[in-house]
Amino acid sequence: MSINTIPTDKEIANISACISEGWELLPVYLNINEQMDVDGSRVYKIFHILRSWKRQKNETMKLLLKSLVEAENTIVVDWELVRKILGYGKEVLLL
């Protein structure tokens, strides 16, 4: 799982489970226009937003993590769980 590759749907699903409060603001921080008219759990809705970001932007995992770091005052991310799932967390952005 390289930080410089486009995340897979499986990686996006796993990251979706790491995001909680404030998730409704994800489209703002990801710079996408996304309607939240999807039914389902919070994790499924977040997955839908992140997958839309992937389709619209075609960007790397690094940019996704950077956007989540920029949103830290608004969106809660469990960075320990991200690190456990991906093998790295926001610290890779400092390299």
Side-chain angles (χ1 to χ4, degrees), residues 47-89:
F47 172 75
H48 179 77
I49 292 168
L50 295 180
R51 193 170 60 178
S52 292
W53 167 83
K54 174 184 168 181
R55 289 180 179 159
Q56 290 179 33
K57 301 291 183 174
N58 205 35
E59 292 286 356
T60 63
M61 179 67 80
K62 184 174 185 176
L63 186 63
L64 176 57
L65 295 181
K66 184 178 179 213
S67 296
L68 293 176
V69 167
E70 289 172 358
E72 277 187 315
N73 292 328
T74 316
I75 299 172
V76 176
V77 178
D78 184 341
W79 288 106
E80 288 302 315
L81 186 54
V82 170
R83 191 174 294 104
K84 183 177 178 182
I85 291 169
L86 297 178
Y88 54 81

Side-chain angles (χ1 to χ4, degrees), residues 4-50:
N4 293 313
T5 60
I6 296 169
T8 65
D9 282 352
K10 184 177 179 180
E11 290 170 327
I12 287 173
N14 287 331
I15 290 172
S16 297
C18 301
I19 300 169
S20 58
E21 295 177 36
W23 66 269
E24 299 90 345
L25 294 172
L26 277 170
V28 174
Y29 286 95
L30 297 173
N31 295 314
I32 61 170
N33 292 323
E34 182 57 38
Q35 299 296 324
M36 301 232 243
D37 56 356
V38 176
D39 292 328
S41 69
R42 171 187 53 84
V43 173
Y44 181 74
K45 290 176 182 180
I46 293 168
F47 172 75
H48 179 77
I49 292 168
L50 295 180

